[in-house]
Amino acid sequence: LVVSILVTSCSSNEVDTTKVSVEKVVVSNPGLNTVLWHQTAAEYKALCYQTYNFAKIQLVSKLHKHAFPYEKAPAIIMDLDETVVDNSFYNAQLIKDGASYSKETWKDWSDLAQAGEVPGAIEFIKFARENGVTVIFISNRRVKELDNTMRNLVNLGLTNLDTTHFFLRVDEGSKARRRSEVAENYEVLMLFGDNLADFTEVFDKKSVSERNELTQNMQSKFGDSFIVLPNTLYGEWDGALFNYQYDWTPAQKDSIRRDWIKGY
């Protein structure tokens, strides 16, 4: 409508209607504010530092409370994307290109090994290692991304990486089986993630109301063995709004999102 009015009322002027149309799409993109928050808000960084600072205290407490010797080596499980590495640059580029997520563009991005650090993550991983804790990464990055993922972590300052400490996705998206495999060989003290499904399969593909009820019922876990990082870019919180159906048009998604918000 804006473009139509401009074309009608300003036909005598050289109006770049294509540019106006593109800018309109960018401004209305629901991901714009989320990317801006991740990339510019000091509050985002503060939340990440706060999370990892507190996690250090909790980890030391758990190590001191645990009976020695361990029957199994102590470990923590960490998600990667938006828990250890920051991919907001990929989301920003999608907005700039007027594009949506695809496996192809994601692979192009991950191949660059240029994801940034979630504030405080690398220091915390080094801290855990120094205290004798093995760090296991369970991520839904595909197995074929292992090399570039490890290269990305090296670029961020992590050394002595072991391929056996990476459990990437082969087929299923649920991490339940991989968590069980880790638990066979390690005493898992804590789990870190930005998505509730990073912690337990009870959150897999649950509705909005179910996710909230489960969270309330498990509230004692959070800040203890479940450590959550903020992520407004994407996640099952968003998928739950659409009943995990992702083939809606942008207009349909906008309508569904508007139906979810509550005024006074």
Side-chain angles (χ1 to χ4, degrees):
L1 178 60
V2 171
V3 174
S4 176
I5 293 172
L6 284 171
V7 171
T8 302
S9 62
C10 304
S11 56
S12 60
N13 299 324
E14 293 183 0
V15 177
D16 188 348
T17 57
T18 301
K19 182 177 180 181
V20 172
S21 178
V22 170
E23 288 180 348
K24 182 66 176 177
V25 171
V26 170
V27 169
S28 64
N29 191 305
L32 181 59
N33 279 347
T34 65
V35 170
L36 282 171
W37 189 71
H38 274 259
Q39 293 189 342
T40 68
E43 288 82 357
Y44 166 69
K45 296 178 178 61
L47 283 172
C48 294
Y49 285 129
Q50 174 179 267
T51 299
Y52 279 119
N53 286 339
F54 180 70
K56 289 179 182 178
I57 298 171
Q58 286 294 82
L59 182 58
V60 169
S61 175
K62 287 181 178 294
L63 288 170
H64 286 170
K65 289 178 182 178
H66 197 286
F68 285 92
Y70 284 91
E71 292 184 9
K72 301 176 183 177
I76 59 173
I77 293 176
M78 302 187 77
D79 174 51
L80 282 168
D81 298 310
E82 280 42 79
T83 298
V84 176
V85 296
D86 169 16
N87 298 286
S88 63
F89 313 98
Y90 170 72
N91 295 80
Q93 195 61 49
L94 290 180
I95 293 174
K96 288 177 176 289
D97 294 341
S100 300
Y101 167 86
S102 71
K103 293 179 181 178
E104 293 73 25
T105 57
W106 170 261
K107 183 60 165 57
D108 290 341
W109 158 248
S110 65
D111 282 345
L112 296 176
Q114 293 181 356
E117 176 194 356
V118 170
I122 301 301
E123 180 185 344
F124 174 78
I125 292 170
K126 292 178 178 178
F127 175 84
R129 286 175 166 183
E130 290 168 359
N131 282 274
V133 178
T134 300
V135 180
I136 303 293
F137 301 105
I138 298 182
S139 169
N140 274 346
R141 288 187 170 215
R142 301 285 177 169
V143 169
K144 62 184 177 182
E145 297 177 73
L146 178 59
D147 288 343
N148 61 50
T149 297
M150 293 179 70
R151 181 160 47 93
N152 202 150
L153 292 174
V154 169
N155 292 340
L156 293 176
L158 278 185
T159 57
N160 300 319
L161 295 175
D162 186 335
T163 57
T164 65
H165 294 165
F166 289 79
F167 290 73
L168 304 189
R169 180 175 178 175
V170 178
D171 295 312
E172 60 184 358
S174 174
K175 297 180 177 181
R177 178 183 55 80
R178 286 172 280 171
R179 284 192 294 262
S180 295
E181 288 181 21
V182 173
E184 289 177 3
N185 300 304
Y186 293 94
E187 182 74 25
V188 179
L189 304 180
M190 304 168 76
L191 298 96
F192 294 73
D194 61 285
N195 185 1
L196 293 177
D198 292 331
F199 305 103
T200 168
E201 62 273 17
V202 301
F203 286 107
D204 288 351
K205 303 300 180 183
K206 291 297 192 295
S207 68
V208 171
S209 60
E210 289 172 323
R211 297 178 91 245
N212 280 282
E213 183 178 356
L214 285 165
T215 299
Q216 183 173 351
N217 292 341
M218 302 174 69
Q219 59 185 279
S220 63
K221 293 278 190 181
F222 299 102
D224 179 26
S225 54
F226 296 172
I227 307 298
V228 186
L229 278 298
N231 177 10
T232 64
L233 296 168
Y234 61 87
E236 290 202 9
W237 67 269
D238 191 44
L241 301 178
F242 309 110
N243 294 321
Y244 302 98
Q245 298 176 24
Y246 297 99
D247 55 351
W248 301 103
T249 67
Q252 288 172 323
K253 287 182 178 179
D254 182 72
S255 177
I256 292 170
R257 288 189 175 103
R258 289 177 181 275
D259 284 342
W260 272 107
I261 60 175
K262 297 178 180 180
Y264 57 87

